[in-house]
Each structure stands twice: as C-alpha cells, then as structure tokens.
Amino acid sequence: MKLKKKGHLDEAFDKFTSASELDPRNVTYVTAREFVRQELALRALRQGNQAMEKHNEIVAMGDFQRALEYDPSNDYAMQRLRDSMPESEQEAQQIRVVEQSLPVELQPNPKHQDFHFRGDSRALLTEVARAYGITAEFDDSVKNLHVHYDIQNVNFATAMEAANDVTKTFWIALSPKQILLLTDTVENHRNFDRMGLRTFYLPDLNDQELTEMMNSLRVLLNLRFISLNKAQSAIVIRAELPVLDAADKLIRSLTTGRPEVLLDIRVFAVATSFARTLGTALPTQFTMFNISPALLGGLGQSASNLINQLISSGGINQANSTAVSALLAQLSNSSTSSILTTPFVIFGGGLTLFGLNAGGQGVTPTGSLNTSDIRDLEHVTLRASHNDPATLKIGERYPIINATFAPIYNESSIASVIGNSSYIAPFPSFTFEDLGLNLKTTPLVNGDGSVSMKFELQMRSLGTTTNNGIPIINNREYSGNITVKDGESSVITGMIDMNDTLGINGYPYLGQIPGLGYLATTHSKNVTQDELLVVVTPHILRAAEHASFAVELPPNH
C-alpha cells in the first residue's frame, strides 16, 4: 500500500501478487491486486494512444503489448495492438463493382490549332473536328447559323467547347474518330448522352437498408433508371458517366461501416455486516399456581418427591398423608406432566399454598460476535455499433408457477386412476423471470470524438421471502443518457444502503441503572451496509469518415 501511494504501481503489483499467492483466500489481497492490475493496463493504453497520435507505432505496439500482459482479456488493448501493426496485404471486404459498361473514348490529335472563321455553324464544327482528325456527323436538330469564331493555340477539348458555345450544340462520341453533334437541349441530353451501367454489390446491408440506399440515390442524384436486386444484395444504376461516378463515391462513403464502440463496464459491489450480542439473559416470565389435591392429579409418577417436599415444608399435615398416598396410587398410571416438575418456590399455607416457577428459565450470560465483508467485481466488455441497441444478459431464468390443475369432482374413472396410482397431473402453467444482470445500451458516436449512450440497466435477484407461495424478486433498475469522451470513465449509477439496529432485552428500567446494564439486560447491535457502483468507459474502435468529394454533373442534373 505504501508503494501504491507513492505511485510505484509496478512494485506494488508484484507485492500484491505475492501476498495473494501466499494467502489465496484473502479477498482483500486479491482485490488490491486486481485494482492495481487495471490501473497499470489503463496507463499502458493511455501511453499507447498518445504514441499513436504522434505516429510512433513502434512505441505504441510496446505499450499495447504491456497492457495485454497485465490484462490478457482486454479486447480493447488487443484491437489497438492490431491497429498499431502494419497493414496486411489481405484486402478487406468492401463494396465491389461487379458489372459495368465501358464508355467510348474519343482519340483526337494532341496538337494545338488556330482558328479564324466566319460563316455557317455546321461548316465551323466540321472544320474544327477535321483539324484534329475527327469526323463530324450532324443530327437533324442542328440548325445553320452565321457565326464568328476566332481562337488560337488550343487543343481539341478547348476548341470544341468554344465551338459548341457559339453554335449552341454538344457532341457525343460514336467511335474513337467519330462524333455526333446535336442541339443543346435537355431532351437531346436525355436521349443521346452517353450512359453507363453499373451494378453495386452490397452484402453487408439488409433488405431495409438496401431499399433506403436506393431511395436516397434516386432523390439525391435524380436517377431515373435504378433497380434493386434483393436476392444478390445489389443495386443496378443506369445513368450518365458523371452521375455514375457520383453514385459510386456516395455509396462508398455510406458503406464504409458504422462507427463502433467498445464499452468497458465494471460493477463494484461491497457488502459488510456486523452483529454483536452481549449481556445477561434473566427470566422474564413466571407462573404462579395454587397447590391443591385437584392440582396434584396431574403430577403423574414423579409426584412422590413433590409430596415429600410439601410435607417437609409443612404444607401438608402428617395426618392426611394416607389420603395423599391413596391419591398417588390412583395416579400411578398417569403420564401427564405438570408445572410442578420444574423447580419452584412455595409460599402461603393451607388453602393459600401457592407455587412460583420460571418455566425452566435461568440466568444465561450471552456474548456473540458475527462480522462479514464481501467484495464483488463484475467486468463486462460490450461491443456495439452506432445507433444500434446492444443487449447483454448474465444470470439465470427462474420459473414461477402461475397455476396448477387438479380435478374438481370425483367420478369412477378418476377414482380408478387415483386408486391404482396411475393418475398424471396436467403440466402446470409457469413463466420465466430473468435473474441477474440485464444491460441494454445504444451508443452514438459524435463528430467531436465523444460518445452519447442511452442505458437501461436492471439487476434482479431472488428474495428470501414469498407471498402466497410466490417468491419475491429484488429489483434494481437504472435508465438514463450520458455523454463522455473517448476513453473517459464515468459513474453511471451508485447506491449505498445502510441499516443500523440496536436492541435491549431485559427488565424495564433495570438495564438503565449504572453498573447493572450488561448484568441485567442483553444488548444486541446489527449493522449492515451495501454499496453498488457501476462505471463505464467507452472506447471508439471505428469512427465515422468525414472525407468530402465533388463531381461535376451534367446540365440536366
């Protein structure tokens, strides 16, 4: 403990380990060792994350490996160790293009040309195309216009773009050396723009997610030809090539995988109890009775000793001893017990002869001490996706009988099966109740690196009492929302239950006399304390990608 207070956790861990090995049943040693183990593992993880931020993967690998040595079951340390290793050549399963149509690529001469033209629009387009080795074909929608065209030292793309602007036309490639020129209208773009076909295979999406993806693409990109193949988990798109490129980038950005969080949950439970009883138990109940021949009828075979006691004390005269002997002879076969068989004190005489006893209770000194200390730690690691609820149940399912069945009337057939012991009662009706730890959480990974979590925690156990034969179930529940940073521990719920009881048993007021408290009364003290603490630490395994992209869509989009 001194080493731990000074911050020498490694040396303290070795000492706690040695202590727990020497005394394995000592809960205090084992608990102290596990707490220091977790502190060492968290410190190594923190140093590894700092090294990763500085792009020092070699140092980070050593820190994560050291964290695994302290806590081999830490999944987060294992994941971070894998992240620090060099990327393997194994290709992860990602979105794949399994079918697409290839565009026709025009191949003009790369040299630059000068143009000085006055005349017909069709002649201009023919001359510009011929200058770069391209044959121009015209659609009927192209009209002859008188244009002026002057440009110098330009390539095919620049020259044709300027010519299209002057003549209000656009072109599409028919072959590597041939183009078709059309009037620049929305209808002509829809009918003649070069369109491609791509099939996107998305095996990680279910039917609902595929439908949502298709509807989003249709609205965002104004797609007219898009279909869904649920059997193959594929989306087929037919559109202009720039639109297909935009759809490709959009699908890739949306299917990189949801952010994932590893929730490190620890439930600490400490229960202590103290019970002490000290003092002297004196008899508190007495029985007073009248001694007469009628009462002697219940004495039985042991009455002779009591009669002799009464004669010696003067309670019975010697003259009537003969009558008493005759009475004893009549009761010789009686086995009835009597209060006179216990020690008693007599007083009075004749008809007023009375007896007083304490029912067999005497003076009993009492001293007892009972104490217990229970420490429990439950460590749960839960992996969950962004905005997807994750549920964890640890415990048992306890059956509770709701109803049993039995015949309400008797007849010959029922009597016969009951008589020969062949009657089989119907199976009772029952329900199962989940006992143990039930945890449901929905994490949300925020853009600033924090994690918002919605918790529904329930701890149920079987009570010690019943109600009409139905067991009572102890229940503790927590429901709430919290937001913490990545790797930050937070207490989500805590509870302390204390019960202190002090009792005194003895004669009234006698136990309050100074010096006679523990000699005349019994003092009992019971103290119980239960503490419960739930700590959660989120670790972001995969964050959302924020890479932006831009594409140039056709004019009709």
Side-chain angles (χ1 to χ4, degrees), residues 62-139:
D63 293 332
F64 295 142
Q65 183 64 39
R66 188 167 65 255
L68 283 175
E69 292 177 358
Y70 288 121
D71 189 2
S73 62
N74 195 317
D75 295 337
Y76 177 69
M78 178 63 69
Q79 181 65 35
R80 295 299 291 163
L81 178 62
R82 294 173 181 172
D83 295 340
S84 62
M85 294 180 178
E87 296 183 358
S88 61
E89 297 180 357
Q90 297 180 356
E91 184 180 359
Q93 184 178 7
Q94 298 178 350
I95 176 177
R96 295 182 294 114
V97 180
V98 297
E99 184 179 353
Q100 65 176 342
S101 56
L102 298 177
V104 178
E105 295 184 0
L106 194 66
Q107 298 177 0
N109 296 331
K111 61 182 181 179
H112 288 209
Q113 301 286 349
D114 298 335
F115 297 95
H116 303 281
F117 182 84
R118 302 290 186 276
D120 183 75
S121 58
R122 288 199 176 194
L124 171 62
L125 296 172
T126 303
E127 181 179 342
V128 172
R130 185 185 303 112
Y132 297 96
I134 302 299
T135 302
E137 301 289 342
F138 293 93
D139 184 71

Side-chain angles (χ1 to χ4, degrees), residues 276-284 362-368 501-508 510-512 516-526:
R276 184 188 64 192
T277 303
L278 184 62
T280 304
L282 299 178
T284 57
V363 178
T364 306
T366 302
S368 64
T501 304
L502 180 63
I504 300 177
N505 185 19
Y507 294 121
L510 186 61
Q512 300 177 357
L516 294 179
Y518 289 97
L519 296 178
T521 56
T522 301
H523 295 253
S524 61
K525 183 177 182 180
N526 294 284

Side-chain angles (χ1 to χ4, degrees), residues 240-272:
E240 295 84 351
L241 296 182
V243 178
L244 288 180
D245 293 337
D248 178 75
K249 293 182 179 180
L250 184 59
I251 291 176
R252 291 180 185 275
S253 65
L254 296 177
T255 56
T256 54
R258 290 188 177 184
E260 291 187 351
V261 179
L262 184 68
L263 300 179
D264 192 347
I265 303 173
R266 288 176 170 83
V267 181
F268 300 91
V270 179
T272 59

Side-chain angles (χ1 to χ4, degrees), residues 31 57 71 530:
T31 304
E57 286 78 8
D71 189 2
D530 295 333

